[in-house]
C-alpha cells in the first residue's frame, strides 16, 4: 500500500536523523579513514609492536599529528631513561665479576643511552616550540644510538630486547616526524 510505504520511508528518515544527532561520531567506525595512530603504525617496521606501544596512551585514538608526536617521543624518552637506569644498576652489579669485554660494551652503552636521552629531550623541546624540521634526523639519531649500543657486544648483548624496544620506538618517532615533511 502506498501510504504505509511512504510512512515506512518517513520513519526510516526520521530514525536516520535521530541517529545522526544522538550518536557521537566516534561510535560509528569509519572504515575508510582509520585513526592517524593506526595509519602511522602501518608505516612502521612492526605494526603490532607499534599498536601496543602507542595505544598504551589514552590520547592515541583521537590524536592529530602534533599530539601523536608528544605521545611517541614521550614513550621513547621514558623507555630510554628506564633502560639507562637499568644499565647503571647492571654496571654496578657487574663491577669486578663480569667479562671485561661485556663490561666495556656496557660502559659504551651508558654513553649511547645518555646521548639518546639528550636527543629525545631536544625533540620534546622542539615540539614545545613547534619546530618540526629537525625531528626526522633526531629520530634517526636515537635509533642509531640503540644500534651502536647493540653492536658493541658482538652478538652477545644482554640488553638486546631493550635495544630492540628503543629501535622500534624511534622508528615510530621517525614515521610521525615524516608527517611534517609532506609538502602540501
Ligand atoms: C605512509 O607511507 C606512505 C608511503 O610512503 C605515505 O604516502 C603516507 O603519507 C604515510 N602515512 C602515514 C600516516 O605515515
Ligand atoms: C614485533 O613486535 C612483537 C611484539 O611487540 C614481537 O613479538 C615481534 O617479534 C616483533 N617482530 C619483529 C619482526 O621484530
Ligand atoms: C619500553 O617499551 C616496551 C615496548 O613498548 C614496553 O614493554 C616497556 O614497558 C617500556 N618501558 C617503559 C618504562 O616505558
Ligand atoms: C623501569 O620501569 C619499570 C616499570 O615500567 C619499573 O618497574 C622499573 O623499576 C624501571 N627500572 C628502572 C631501572 O628504572
Amino acid at each position: 500500500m502506498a501510504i504505509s510505504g511512504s510512512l515506512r520511508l518517513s520513519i526510516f528518515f526520521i530514525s536516520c536523523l535521530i541517529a545522526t544527532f544522538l550518536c557521537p561520531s566516534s561510535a560509528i567506525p569509519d572504515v575508510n579513514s582509520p585513526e592517524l595512530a593506526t595509519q602511522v603504525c602501518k608505516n612502521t617496521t612492526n605494526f603490532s609492536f607499534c599498536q601496543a606501544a602507542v595505544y598504551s596512551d589514552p590520547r592515541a585514538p583521537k590524536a592529530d599529528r602534533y599530539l601523536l608526536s608528544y605521545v611517541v617521543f614521550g614513550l621513547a624518552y621514558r623507555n630510554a631513561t628506564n633502560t639507562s637506569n637499568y644499565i647503571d644498576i647492571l654496571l654496578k652489579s657487574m663491577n669486578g665479576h663480569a667479562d671485561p669485554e661485556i663490561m666495556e660494551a656496557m660502559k659504551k652503552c651508558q654513553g649511547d643511552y645518555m646521548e639518546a636521552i639528550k636527543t629525545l629531550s631536544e625533540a620534546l623541546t622542539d615540539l614545545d616550540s613547534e619546530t618540526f624540521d629537525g625531528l626526522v634526523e633526531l629520530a634517526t639519531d636515537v635509533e642509531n644510538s640503540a644500534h651502536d649500543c647493540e653492536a658493541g657486544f658482538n652478538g652477545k648483548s644482554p640488553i638486546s630486547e631493550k635495544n630492540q624496544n628503543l629501535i622500534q620506538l624511534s622508528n615510530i618517532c621517525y614515521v610521525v616526524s615524516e608527517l611534517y615533511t609532506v609538502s602540501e
Side-chain angles (χ1 to χ4, degrees):
M1 237 161 65
I3 291 179
S4 86
S6 69
L7 188 65
R8 232 178 282 147
L9 210 62
S10 308
I11 290 171
F12 173 74
F13 278 119
I14 290 167
S15 308
C16 288
L17 213 63
I18 291 171
T20 308
F21 281 109
L22 293 188
C23 300
S25 59
S26 63
I28 304 164
D30 184 353
V31 287
N32 294 317
S33 75
E35 291 162 359
L36 181 61
T38 299
Q39 290 181 48
V40 160
C41 285
K42 285 184 181 154
N43 278 1
T44 64
T45 52
N46 189 333
F47 178 75
S48 61
F49 176 93
C50 176
Q51 291 281 95
V54 173
Y55 283 96
S56 69
D57 190 308
R59 296 171 297 174
K62 288 190 189 289
D64 61 6
R65 71 178 176 183
Y66 190 46
L67 186 52
L68 198 56
S69 305
Y70 275 109
V71 169
V72 301
F73 277 100
L75 279 172
Y77 181 85
R78 287 194 298 281
N79 226 273
T81 305
N82 189 275
T83 299
S84 173
N85 292 337
Y86 179 75
I87 290 172
D88 291 344
I89 291 166
L90 218 54
L91 268 172
K92 277 190 196 117
S93 76
M94 288 193 322
N95 210 356
H97 341 269
D99 179 342
E101 275 178 45
I102 298 281
M103 193 81 187
E104 238 1 85
M106 199 63 85
K107 278 188 190 149
K108 199 188 151 299
C109 285
Q110 208 174 22
D112 292 329
Y113 270 82
M114 270 159 62
E115 189 65 32
I117 291 166
K118 188 167 147 261
T119 307
L120 286 163
S121 75
E122 192 180 329
L124 289 166
T125 307
D126 281 357
L127 287 174
D128 287 341
S129 64
E130 302 188 22
T131 308
F132 307 118
D133 50 353
L135 291 177
V136 167
E137 200 184 330
L138 294 175
T140 308
D141 288 348
V142 173
E143 181 167 345
N144 285 336
S145 293
H147 278 299
D148 286 349
C149 164
E150 187 66 14
F153 293 103
N154 292 315
K156 295 180 290 183
S157 167
I159 54 168
S160 202
E161 194 188 323
K162 291 178 189 301
N163 284 331
Q164 271 307 312
N165 282 339
L166 188 57
I167 287 166
Q168 295 187 96
L169 288 170
S170 50
N171 175 247
I172 304 171
C173 293
Y174 176 87
V175 174
V176 173
S177 301
E178 285 257 281
L179 295 174
Y180 298 97
T181 65
V182 182
S183 51
E184 283 169 52

